[in-house]
PDB file of all heavy atoms in Angstrom:
ATOM      1  N   LYS A1013      69.092  32.458 -26.488  1.00  0.00           N
ATOM      2  CA  LYS A1013      68.459  32.417 -27.798  1.00  0.00           C
ATOM      3  C   LYS A1013      68.217  30.967 -28.232  1.00  0.00           C
ATOM      4  O   LYS A1013      67.179  30.629 -28.825  1.00  0.00           O
ATOM      5  CB  LYS A1013      69.329  33.142 -28.822  1.00  0.00           C
ATOM      6  CG  LYS A1013      69.297  34.653 -28.685  1.00  0.00           C
ATOM      7  CD  LYS A1013      70.164  35.299 -29.748  1.00  0.00           C
ATOM      8  CE  LYS A1013      70.130  36.818 -29.608  1.00  0.00           C
ATOM      9  NZ  LYS A1013      70.950  37.494 -30.604  1.00  0.00           N
ATOM     10  N   LEU A1014      69.199  30.119 -27.936  1.00  0.00           N
ATOM     11  CA  LEU A1014      69.055  28.708 -28.288  1.00  0.00           C
ATOM     12  C   LEU A1014      67.891  28.077 -27.546  1.00  0.00           C
ATOM     13  O   LEU A1014      67.070  27.355 -28.118  1.00  0.00           O
ATOM     14  CB  LEU A1014      70.359  27.961 -27.991  1.00  0.00           C
ATOM     15  CG  LEU A1014      70.333  26.453 -28.309  1.00  0.00           C
ATOM     16  CD1 LEU A1014      70.135  26.231 -29.807  1.00  0.00           C
ATOM     17  CD2 LEU A1014      71.617  25.803 -27.827  1.00  0.00           C
ATOM     18  N   ALA A1015      67.797  28.382 -26.239  1.00  0.00           N
ATOM     19  CA  ALA A1015      66.698  27.819 -25.425  1.00  0.00           C
ATOM     20  C   ALA A1015      65.360  28.329 -25.921  1.00  0.00           C
ATOM     21  O   ALA A1015      64.377  27.579 -26.036  1.00  0.00           O
ATOM     22  CB  ALA A1015      66.899  28.178 -23.959  1.00  0.00           C
ATOM     23  N   THR A1016      65.305  29.628 -26.253  1.00  0.00           N
ATOM     24  CA  THR A1016      64.060  30.217 -26.763  1.00  0.00           C
ATOM     25  C   THR A1016      63.671  29.570 -28.081  1.00  0.00           C
ATOM     26  O   THR A1016      62.497  29.264 -28.326  1.00  0.00           O
ATOM     27  CB  THR A1016      64.237  31.743 -26.940  1.00  0.00           C
ATOM     28  OG1 THR A1016      64.629  32.320 -25.710  1.00  0.00           O
ATOM     29  CG2 THR A1016      62.959  32.387 -27.418  1.00  0.00           C
ATOM     30  N   GLY A1017      64.654  29.327 -28.921  1.00  0.00           N
ATOM     31  CA  GLY A1017      64.382  28.676 -30.205  1.00  0.00           C
ATOM     32  C   GLY A1017      63.833  27.269 -30.018  1.00  0.00           C
ATOM     33  O   GLY A1017      62.913  26.839 -30.712  1.00  0.00           O
ATOM     34  N   ILE A1018      64.434  26.521 -29.079  1.00  0.00           N
ATOM     35  CA  ILE A1018      63.972  25.149 -28.817  1.00  0.00           C
ATOM     36  C   ILE A1018      62.532  25.144 -28.309  1.00  0.00           C
ATOM     37  O   ILE A1018      61.687  24.357 -28.747  1.00  0.00           O
ATOM     38  CB  ILE A1018      64.922  24.440 -27.826  1.00  0.00           C
ATOM     39  CG1 ILE A1018      66.292  24.208 -28.490  1.00  0.00           C
ATOM     40  CG2 ILE A1018      64.331  23.130 -27.362  1.00  0.00           C
ATOM     41  CD1 ILE A1018      67.368  23.704 -27.557  1.00  0.00           C
ATOM     42  N   VAL A1019      62.238  26.060 -27.374  1.00  0.00           N
ATOM     43  CA  VAL A1019      60.871  26.152 -26.817  1.00  0.00           C
ATOM     44  C   VAL A1019      59.892  26.509 -27.921  1.00  0.00           C
ATOM     45  O   VAL A1019      58.796  25.958 -28.037  1.00  0.00           O
ATOM     46  CB  VAL A1019      60.822  27.170 -25.658  1.00  0.00           C
ATOM     47  CG1 VAL A1019      59.390  27.473 -25.262  1.00  0.00           C
ATOM     48  CG2 VAL A1019      61.612  26.666 -24.480  1.00  0.00           C
ATOM     49  N   SER A1020      60.291  27.455 -28.804  1.00  0.00           N
ATOM     50  CA  SER A1020      59.408  27.884 -29.891  1.00  0.00           C
ATOM     51  C   SER A1020      59.134  26.734 -30.846  1.00  0.00           C
ATOM     52  O   SER A1020      57.998  26.517 -31.289  1.00  0.00           O
ATOM     53  CB  SER A1020      60.039  29.061 -30.648  1.00  0.00           C
ATOM     54  OG  SER A1020      60.192  30.175 -29.786  1.00  0.00           O
ATOM     55  N   MET A1021      60.200  25.983 -31.149  1.00  0.00           N
ATOM     56  CA  MET A1021      60.022  24.852 -32.062  1.00  0.00           C
ATOM     57  C   MET A1021      59.121  23.774 -31.441  1.00  0.00           C
ATOM     58  O   MET A1021      58.279  23.195 -32.110  1.00  0.00           O
ATOM     59  CB  MET A1021      61.400  24.271 -32.423  1.00  0.00           C
ATOM     60  CG  MET A1021      62.177  25.123 -33.397  1.00  0.00           C
ATOM     61  SD  MET A1021      63.794  24.439 -33.792  1.00  0.00           S
ATOM     62  CE  MET A1021      63.379  22.847 -34.369  1.00  0.00           C
ATOM     63  N   THR A1022      59.343  23.546 -30.162  1.00  0.00           N
ATOM     64  CA  THR A1022      58.514  22.532 -29.471  1.00  0.00           C
ATOM     65  C   THR A1022      57.052  22.967 -29.478  1.00  0.00           C
ATOM     66  O   THR A1022      56.141  22.175 -29.742  1.00  0.00           O
ATOM     67  CB  THR A1022      59.009  22.336 -28.023  1.00  0.00           C
ATOM     68  OG1 THR A1022      60.400  21.990 -28.054  1.00  0.00           O
ATOM     69  CG2 THR A1022      58.235  21.255 -27.330  1.00  0.00           C
ATOM     70  N   THR A1023      56.840  24.260 -29.193  1.00  0.00           N
ATOM     71  CA  THR A1023      55.474  24.794 -29.178  1.00  0.00           C
ATOM     72  C   THR A1023      54.836  24.672 -30.552  1.00  0.00           C
ATOM     73  O   THR A1023      53.672  24.252 -30.691  1.00  0.00           O
ATOM     74  CB  THR A1023      55.464  26.265 -28.716  1.00  0.00           C
ATOM     75  OG1 THR A1023      56.073  26.359 -27.434  1.00  0.00           O
ATOM     76  CG2 THR A1023      54.059  26.822 -28.674  1.00  0.00           C
ATOM     77  N   ALA A1024      55.600  25.010 -31.584  1.00  0.00           N
ATOM     78  CA  ALA A1024      55.072  24.932 -32.949  1.00  0.00           C
ATOM     79  C   ALA A1024      54.733  23.487 -33.299  1.00  0.00           C
ATOM     80  O   ALA A1024      53.693  23.194 -33.918  1.00  0.00           O
ATOM     81  CB  ALA A1024      56.098  25.507 -33.930  1.00  0.00           C
ATOM     82  N   PHE A1025      55.625  22.553 -32.903  1.00  0.00           N
ATOM     83  CA  PHE A1025      55.383  21.140 -33.189  1.00  0.00           C
ATOM     84  C   PHE A1025      54.110  20.648 -32.502  1.00  0.00           C
ATOM     85  O   PHE A1025      53.276  19.967 -33.099  1.00  0.00           O
ATOM     86  CB  PHE A1025      56.611  20.320 -32.757  1.00  0.00           C
ATOM     87  CG  PHE A1025      56.460  18.861 -32.985  1.00  0.00           C
ATOM     88  CD1 PHE A1025      56.553  18.331 -34.278  1.00  0.00           C
ATOM     89  CD2 PHE A1025      56.217  17.993 -31.935  1.00  0.00           C
ATOM     90  CE1 PHE A1025      56.414  16.989 -34.499  1.00  0.00           C
ATOM     91  CE2 PHE A1025      56.067  16.648 -32.147  1.00  0.00           C
ATOM     92  CZ  PHE A1025      56.172  16.129 -33.430  1.00  0.00           C
ATOM     93  N   VAL A1026      53.952  21.019 -31.212  1.00  0.00           N
ATOM     94  CA  VAL A1026      52.761  20.597 -30.443  1.00  0.00           C
ATOM     95  C   VAL A1026      51.501  21.201 -31.055  1.00  0.00           C
ATOM     96  O   VAL A1026      50.487  20.535 -31.230  1.00  0.00           O
ATOM     97  CB  VAL A1026      52.914  20.984 -28.954  1.00  0.00           C
ATOM     98  CG1 VAL A1026      51.605  20.770 -28.207  1.00  0.00           C
ATOM     99  CG2 VAL A1026      54.023  20.159 -28.304  1.00  0.00           C
ATOM    100  N   LEU A1027      51.582  22.496 -31.410  1.00  0.00           N
ATOM    101  CA  LEU A1027      50.413  23.151 -32.008  1.00  0.00           C
ATOM    102  C   LEU A1027      50.069  22.526 -33.351  1.00  0.00           C
ATOM    103  O   LEU A1027      48.903  22.360 -33.696  1.00  0.00           O
ATOM    104  CB  LEU A1027      50.673  24.655 -32.172  1.00  0.00           C
ATOM    105  CG  LEU A1027      50.637  25.476 -30.876  1.00  0.00           C
ATOM    106  CD1 LEU A1027      51.039  26.927 -31.147  1.00  0.00           C
ATOM    107  CD2 LEU A1027      49.255  25.420 -30.247  1.00  0.00           C
ATOM    108  N   PHE A1028      51.092  22.182 -34.114  1.00  0.00           N
ATOM    109  CA  PHE A1028      50.852  21.551 -35.405  1.00  0.00           C
ATOM    110  C   PHE A1028      50.091  20.230 -35.257  1.00  0.00           C
ATOM    111  O   PHE A1028      49.202  19.923 -36.029  1.00  0.00           O
ATOM    112  CB  PHE A1028      52.192  21.343 -36.124  1.00  0.00           C
ATOM    113  CG  PHE A1028      52.053  20.729 -37.478  1.00  0.00           C
ATOM    114  CD1 PHE A1028      51.618  21.502 -38.554  1.00  0.00           C
ATOM    115  CD2 PHE A1028      52.327  19.382 -37.675  1.00  0.00           C
ATOM    116  CE1 PHE A1028      51.475  20.928 -39.803  1.00  0.00           C
ATOM    117  CE2 PHE A1028      52.167  18.816 -38.920  1.00  0.00           C
ATOM    118  CZ  PHE A1028      51.745  19.586 -39.993  1.00  0.00           C
ATOM    119  N   ARG A1029      50.528  19.479 -34.224  1.00  0.00           N
ATOM    120  CA  ARG A1029      49.843  18.196 -33.980  1.00  0.00           C
ATOM    121  C   ARG A1029      48.438  18.392 -33.452  1.00  0.00           C
ATOM    122  O   ARG A1029      47.592  17.512 -33.587  1.00  0.00           O
ATOM    123  CB  ARG A1029      50.662  17.369 -32.983  1.00  0.00           C
ATOM    124  CG  ARG A1029      51.999  16.927 -33.573  1.00  0.00           C
ATOM    125  CD  ARG A1029      52.677  15.897 -32.746  1.00  0.00           C
ATOM    126  NE  ARG A1029      51.879  14.682 -32.698  1.00  0.00           N
ATOM    127  CZ  ARG A1029      52.118  13.660 -31.886  1.00  0.00           C
ATOM    128  NH1 ARG A1029      53.133  13.726 -31.046  1.00  0.00           N
ATOM    129  NH2 ARG A1029      51.378  12.592 -31.917  1.00  0.00           N
ATOM    130  N   MET A1030      48.143  19.547 -32.838  1.00  0.00           N
ATOM    131  CA  MET A1030      46.817  19.796 -32.268  1.00  0.00           C
ATOM    132  C   MET A1030      45.845  20.416 -33.271  1.00  0.00           C
ATOM    133  O   MET A1030      44.671  20.599 -32.972  1.00  0.00           O
ATOM    134  CB  MET A1030      46.934  20.732 -31.051  1.00  0.00           C
ATOM    135  CG  MET A1030      47.598  20.066 -29.851  1.00  0.00           C
ATOM    136  SD  MET A1030      47.770  21.192 -28.462  1.00  0.00           S
ATOM    137  CE  MET A1030      46.082  21.580 -28.113  1.00  0.00           C
TER     138      MET A1030
END
Side-chain angles (χ1 to χ4, degrees):
K1013 286 181 180 180
L1014 179 64
T1016 303
I1018 292 172
V1019 169
S1020 297
M1021 285 179 56
T1022 304
T1023 303
F1025 179 75
V1026 170
L1027 286 175
F1028 181 76
R1029 293 192 64 190
M1030 290 178 62

